[in-house]
PDB file of all heavy atoms in Angstrom:
ATOM      1  N   VAL A  88     -13.948  -2.610   5.881  1.00 97.00           N
ATOM      2  CA  VAL A  88     -15.150  -3.153   5.308  1.00 97.00           C
ATOM      3  C   VAL A  88     -16.272  -2.111   5.265  1.00 97.00           C
ATOM      4  O   VAL A  88     -16.941  -1.962   4.230  1.00 97.00           O
ATOM      5  CB  VAL A  88     -15.645  -4.467   6.156  1.00 97.00           C
ATOM      6  CG1 VAL A  88     -16.990  -4.840   5.649  1.00 97.00           C
ATOM      7  CG2 VAL A  88     -14.603  -5.569   5.969  1.00 97.00           C
ATOM      8  N   ILE A  89     -16.367  -1.365   6.353  1.00 97.00           N
ATOM      9  CA  ILE A  89     -17.417  -0.216   6.374  1.00 97.00           C
ATOM     10  C   ILE A  89     -17.006   0.748   5.323  1.00 97.00           C
ATOM     11  O   ILE A  89     -17.948   1.332   4.612  1.00 97.00           O
ATOM     12  CB  ILE A  89     -17.526   0.384   7.746  1.00 97.00           C
ATOM     13  CG1 ILE A  89     -18.039  -0.757   8.773  1.00 97.00           C
ATOM     14  CG2 ILE A  89     -18.535   1.515   7.757  1.00 97.00           C
ATOM     15  CD1 ILE A  89     -18.059  -0.248  10.169  1.00 97.00           C
ATOM     16  N   TYR A  90     -15.828   1.117   5.233  1.00 97.00           N
ATOM     17  CA  TYR A  90     -15.346   2.135   4.333  1.00 97.00           C
ATOM     18  C   TYR A  90     -15.684   1.702   2.826  1.00 97.00           C
ATOM     19  O   TYR A  90     -16.163   2.482   2.121  1.00 97.00           O
ATOM     20  CB  TYR A  90     -13.792   2.318   4.503  1.00 97.00           C
ATOM     21  CG  TYR A  90     -13.195   3.322   3.602  1.00 97.00           C
ATOM     22  CD1 TYR A  90     -13.282   4.711   3.861  1.00 97.00           C
ATOM     23  CD2 TYR A  90     -12.466   2.936   2.434  1.00 97.00           C
ATOM     24  CE1 TYR A  90     -12.633   5.593   2.945  1.00 97.00           C
ATOM     25  CE2 TYR A  90     -11.901   3.777   1.618  1.00 97.00           C
ATOM     26  CZ  TYR A  90     -12.000   5.138   1.849  1.00 97.00           C
ATOM     27  OH  TYR A  90     -11.372   6.062   0.965  1.00 97.00           O
ATOM     28  N   ALA A  91     -15.333   0.479   2.530  1.00 97.00           N
ATOM     29  CA  ALA A  91     -15.545  -0.007   1.187  1.00 97.00           C
ATOM     30  C   ALA A  91     -16.992  -0.112   0.799  1.00 97.00           C
ATOM     31  O   ALA A  91     -17.441   0.270  -0.270  1.00 97.00           O
ATOM     32  CB  ALA A  91     -14.766  -1.289   1.014  1.00 97.00           C
ATOM     33  N   LEU A  92     -17.829  -0.675   1.749  1.00 97.00           N
ATOM     34  CA  LEU A  92     -19.221  -0.883   1.475  1.00 97.00           C
ATOM     35  C   LEU A  92     -19.889   0.452   1.415  1.00 97.00           C
ATOM     36  O   LEU A  92     -20.779   0.654   0.488  1.00 97.00           O
ATOM     37  CB  LEU A  92     -19.841  -1.740   2.565  1.00 97.00           C
ATOM     38  CG  LEU A  92     -19.403  -3.247   2.581  1.00 97.00           C
ATOM     39  CD1 LEU A  92     -20.072  -3.964   3.740  1.00 97.00           C
ATOM     40  CD2 LEU A  92     -19.575  -3.906   1.245  1.00 97.00           C
ATOM     41  N   TYR A  93     -19.597   1.401   2.189  1.00 97.00           N
ATOM     42  CA  TYR A  93     -20.194   2.718   2.176  1.00 97.00           C
ATOM     43  C   TYR A  93     -19.801   3.384   0.766  1.00 97.00           C
ATOM     44  O   TYR A  93     -20.590   4.073   0.081  1.00 97.00           O
ATOM     45  CB  TYR A  93     -19.842   3.578   3.333  1.00 97.00           C
ATOM     46  CG  TYR A  93     -20.520   4.926   3.191  1.00 97.00           C
ATOM     47  CD1 TYR A  93     -21.857   5.132   3.471  1.00 97.00           C
ATOM     48  CD2 TYR A  93     -19.792   6.103   2.973  1.00 97.00           C
ATOM     49  CE1 TYR A  93     -22.497   6.391   3.352  1.00 97.00           C
ATOM     50  CE2 TYR A  93     -20.340   7.298   2.789  1.00 97.00           C
ATOM     51  CZ  TYR A  93     -21.674   7.499   2.975  1.00 97.00           C
ATOM     52  OH  TYR A  93     -22.263   8.697   2.932  1.00 97.00           O
ATOM     53  N   GLY A  94     -18.526   3.145   0.413  1.00 96.00           N
ATOM     54  CA  GLY A  94     -18.048   3.696  -0.849  1.00 96.00           C
ATOM     55  C   GLY A  94     -18.781   3.082  -2.018  1.00 96.00           C
ATOM     56  O   GLY A  94     -19.152   3.802  -2.940  1.00 96.00           O
ATOM     57  N   PHE A  95     -19.048   1.811  -1.920  1.00 97.00           N
ATOM     58  CA  PHE A  95     -19.803   1.073  -2.974  1.00 97.00           C
ATOM     59  C   PHE A  95     -21.201   1.667  -3.155  1.00 97.00           C
ATOM     60  O   PHE A  95     -21.697   2.010  -4.219  1.00 97.00           O
ATOM     61  CB  PHE A  95     -19.883  -0.429  -2.635  1.00 97.00           C
ATOM     62  CG  PHE A  95     -20.542  -1.237  -3.657  1.00 97.00           C
ATOM     63  CD1 PHE A  95     -19.838  -1.696  -4.810  1.00 97.00           C
ATOM     64  CD2 PHE A  95     -21.950  -1.597  -3.595  1.00 97.00           C
ATOM     65  CE1 PHE A  95     -20.536  -2.449  -5.772  1.00 97.00           C
ATOM     66  CE2 PHE A  95     -22.533  -2.232  -4.584  1.00 97.00           C
ATOM     67  CZ  PHE A  95     -21.887  -2.745  -5.644  1.00 97.00           C
ATOM     68  N   LEU A  96     -21.910   1.851  -2.019  1.00 96.00           N
ATOM     69  CA  LEU A  96     -23.277   2.386  -2.040  1.00 96.00           C
ATOM     70  C   LEU A  96     -23.210   3.898  -2.517  1.00 96.00           C
ATOM     71  O   LEU A  96     -24.107   4.251  -3.271  1.00 96.00           O
ATOM     72  CB  LEU A  96     -23.913   2.237  -0.684  1.00 96.00           C
ATOM     73  CG  LEU A  96     -24.199   0.835  -0.221  1.00 96.00           C
ATOM     74  CD1 LEU A  96     -24.669   0.885   1.261  1.00 96.00           C
ATOM     75  CD2 LEU A  96     -25.196   0.109  -1.152  1.00 96.00           C
ATOM     76  N   SER A  97     -22.296   4.615  -1.963  1.00 96.00           N
ATOM     77  CA  SER A  97     -22.155   6.031  -2.372  1.00 96.00           C
ATOM     78  C   SER A  97     -21.996   6.203  -3.854  1.00 96.00           C
ATOM     79  O   SER A  97     -22.502   7.168  -4.498  1.00 96.00           O
ATOM     80  CB  SER A  97     -21.098   6.712  -1.626  1.00 96.00           C
ATOM     81  OG  SER A  97     -19.788   6.329  -2.084  1.00 96.00           O
ATOM     82  N   ALA A  98     -21.290   5.324  -4.511  1.00 95.00           N
ATOM     83  CA  ALA A  98     -21.056   5.422  -5.915  1.00 95.00           C
ATOM     84  C   ALA A  98     -22.233   5.382  -6.786  1.00 95.00           C
ATOM     85  O   ALA A  98     -22.397   5.985  -7.887  1.00 95.00           O
ATOM     86  CB  ALA A  98     -20.013   4.376  -6.372  1.00 95.00           C
ATOM     87  N   PHE A  99     -23.233   4.644  -6.308  1.00 96.00           N
ATOM     88  CA  PHE A  99     -24.483   4.455  -7.058  1.00 96.00           C
ATOM     89  C   PHE A  99     -25.603   5.392  -6.599  1.00 96.00           C
ATOM     90  O   PHE A  99     -26.487   5.732  -7.337  1.00 96.00           O
ATOM     91  CB  PHE A  99     -24.986   3.030  -6.915  1.00 96.00           C
ATOM     92  CG  PHE A  99     -24.140   2.030  -7.569  1.00 96.00           C
ATOM     93  CD1 PHE A  99     -23.101   1.377  -6.962  1.00 96.00           C
ATOM     94  CD2 PHE A  99     -24.322   1.724  -8.987  1.00 96.00           C
ATOM     95  CE1 PHE A  99     -22.305   0.416  -7.591  1.00 96.00           C
ATOM     96  CE2 PHE A  99     -23.496   0.811  -9.597  1.00 96.00           C
ATOM     97  CZ  PHE A  99     -22.474   0.162  -8.875  1.00 96.00           C
ATOM     98  N   LEU A 100     -25.543   5.885  -5.315  1.00 96.00           N
ATOM     99  CA  LEU A 100     -26.690   6.685  -4.867  1.00 96.00           C
ATOM    100  C   LEU A 100     -26.351   8.204  -4.860  1.00 96.00           C
ATOM    101  O   LEU A 100     -27.281   8.934  -5.279  1.00 96.00           O
ATOM    102  CB  LEU A 100     -27.003   6.215  -3.422  1.00 96.00           C
ATOM    103  CG  LEU A 100     -27.517   4.750  -3.260  1.00 96.00           C
ATOM    104  CD1 LEU A 100     -27.742   4.403  -1.811  1.00 96.00           C
ATOM    105  CD2 LEU A 100     -28.755   4.467  -4.128  1.00 96.00           C
ATOM    106  N   LEU A 101     -25.234   8.571  -4.361  1.00 95.00           N
ATOM    107  CA  LEU A 101     -24.975   9.946  -4.117  1.00 95.00           C
ATOM    108  C   LEU A 101     -24.800  10.801  -5.388  1.00 95.00           C
ATOM    109  O   LEU A 101     -25.260  11.900  -5.482  1.00 95.00           O
ATOM    110  CB  LEU A 101     -23.788  10.154  -3.212  1.00 95.00           C
ATOM    111  CG  LEU A 101     -23.943   9.510  -1.805  1.00 95.00           C
ATOM    112  CD1 LEU A 101     -22.637   9.785  -1.008  1.00 95.00           C
ATOM    113  CD2 LEU A 101     -25.089  10.104  -1.129  1.00 95.00           C
ATOM    114  N   PRO A 102     -24.264  10.273  -6.520  1.00 95.00           N
ATOM    115  CA  PRO A 102     -24.213  11.077  -7.718  1.00 95.00           C
ATOM    116  C   PRO A 102     -25.588  11.453  -8.209  1.00 95.00           C
ATOM    117  O   PRO A 102     -25.727  12.530  -8.814  1.00 95.00           O
ATOM    118  CB  PRO A 102     -23.359  10.248  -8.638  1.00 95.00           C
ATOM    119  CG  PRO A 102     -22.653   9.279  -7.797  1.00 95.00           C
ATOM    120  CD  PRO A 102     -23.471   9.075  -6.672  1.00 95.00           C
ATOM    121  N   ARG A 103     -26.553  10.571  -8.030  1.00 94.00           N
ATOM    122  CA  ARG A 103     -27.902  10.793  -8.419  1.00 94.00           C
ATOM    123  C   ARG A 103     -28.574  11.754  -7.539  1.00 94.00           C
ATOM    124  O   ARG A 103     -29.433  12.582  -7.926  1.00 94.00           O
ATOM    125  CB  ARG A 103     -28.622   9.485  -8.565  1.00 94.00           C
ATOM    126  CG  ARG A 103     -28.164   8.567  -9.714  1.00 94.00           C
ATOM    127  CD  ARG A 103     -29.014   7.289  -9.808  1.00 94.00           C
ATOM    128  NE  ARG A 103     -28.758   6.508 -11.005  1.00 94.00           N
ATOM    129  CZ  ARG A 103     -27.925   5.524 -11.036  1.00 94.00           C
ATOM    130  NH1 ARG A 103     -27.294   5.142  -9.952  1.00 94.00           N
ATOM    131  NH2 ARG A 103     -27.719   4.834 -12.174  1.00 94.00           N
ATOM    132  N   LEU A 104     -28.245  11.631  -6.234  1.00 94.00           N
ATOM    133  CA  LEU A 104     -28.874  12.467  -5.213  1.00 94.00           C
ATOM    134  C   LEU A 104     -28.477  13.956  -5.398  1.00 94.00           C
ATOM    135  O   LEU A 104     -29.323  14.865  -5.211  1.00 94.00           O
ATOM    136  CB  LEU A 104     -28.568  12.060  -3.882  1.00 94.00           C
ATOM    137  CG  LEU A 104     -29.084  12.792  -2.631  1.00 94.00           C
ATOM    138  CD1 LEU A 104     -30.648  12.732  -2.588  1.00 94.00           C
ATOM    139  CD2 LEU A 104     -28.565  12.281  -1.294  1.00 94.00           C
ATOM    140  N   PHE A 105     -27.254  14.162  -5.696  1.00 93.00           N
ATOM    141  CA  PHE A 105     -26.666  15.486  -5.858  1.00 93.00           C
ATOM    142  C   PHE A 105     -26.392  15.895  -7.279  1.00 93.00           C
ATOM    143  O   PHE A 105     -25.573  16.824  -7.556  1.00 93.00           O
ATOM    144  CB  PHE A 105     -25.374  15.691  -5.035  1.00 93.00           C
ATOM    145  CG  PHE A 105     -25.653  15.568  -3.600  1.00 93.00           C
ATOM    146  CD1 PHE A 105     -25.224  14.396  -2.910  1.00 93.00           C
ATOM    147  CD2 PHE A 105     -26.218  16.547  -2.810  1.00 93.00           C
ATOM    148  CE1 PHE A 105     -25.372  14.207  -1.529  1.00 93.00           C
ATOM    149  CE2 PHE A 105     -26.371  16.355  -1.448  1.00 93.00           C
ATOM    150  CZ  PHE A 105     -25.986  15.167  -0.776  1.00 93.00           C
ATOM    151  N   ALA A 106     -27.114  15.285  -8.194  1.00 90.00           N
ATOM    152  CA  ALA A 106     -26.871  15.529  -9.681  1.00 90.00           C
ATOM    153  C   ALA A 106     -27.178  16.913  -9.951  1.00 90.00           C
ATOM    154  O   ALA A 106     -28.121  17.521  -9.514  1.00 90.00           O
ATOM    155  CB  ALA A 106     -27.757  14.558 -10.441  1.00 90.00           C
ATOM    156  N   TRP A 107     -26.286  17.558 -10.769  1.00 91.00           N
ATOM    157  CA  TRP A 107     -26.403  18.894 -11.300  1.00 91.00           C
ATOM    158  C   TRP A 107     -26.384  19.957 -10.206  1.00 91.00           C
ATOM    159  O   TRP A 107     -26.585  21.151 -10.541  1.00 91.00           O
ATOM    160  CB  TRP A 107     -27.612  19.078 -12.130  1.00 91.00           C
ATOM    161  CG  TRP A 107     -27.618  18.227 -13.381  1.00 91.00           C
ATOM    162  CD1 TRP A 107     -28.117  16.872 -13.502  1.00 91.00           C
ATOM    163  CD2 TRP A 107     -27.132  18.545 -14.636  1.00 91.00           C
ATOM    164  NE1 TRP A 107     -27.893  16.466 -14.748  1.00 91.00           N
ATOM    165  CE2 TRP A 107     -27.365  17.493 -15.513  1.00 91.00           C
ATOM    166  CE3 TRP A 107     -26.520  19.777 -15.209  1.00 91.00           C
ATOM    167  CZ2 TRP A 107     -27.028  17.449 -16.878  1.00 91.00           C
ATOM    168  CZ3 TRP A 107     -26.196  19.797 -16.506  1.00 91.00           C
ATOM    169  CH2 TRP A 107     -26.432  18.618 -17.308  1.00 91.00           C
TER     170      TRP A 107
END
Side-chain angles (χ1 to χ4, degrees):
V88 172
I89 297 174
Y90 178 81
L92 292 181
Y93 181 72
F95 181 86
L96 293 175
S97 73
F99 291 94
L100 299 178
L101 297 182
R103 293 185 169 94
L104 179 63
F105 297 103
W107 295 90

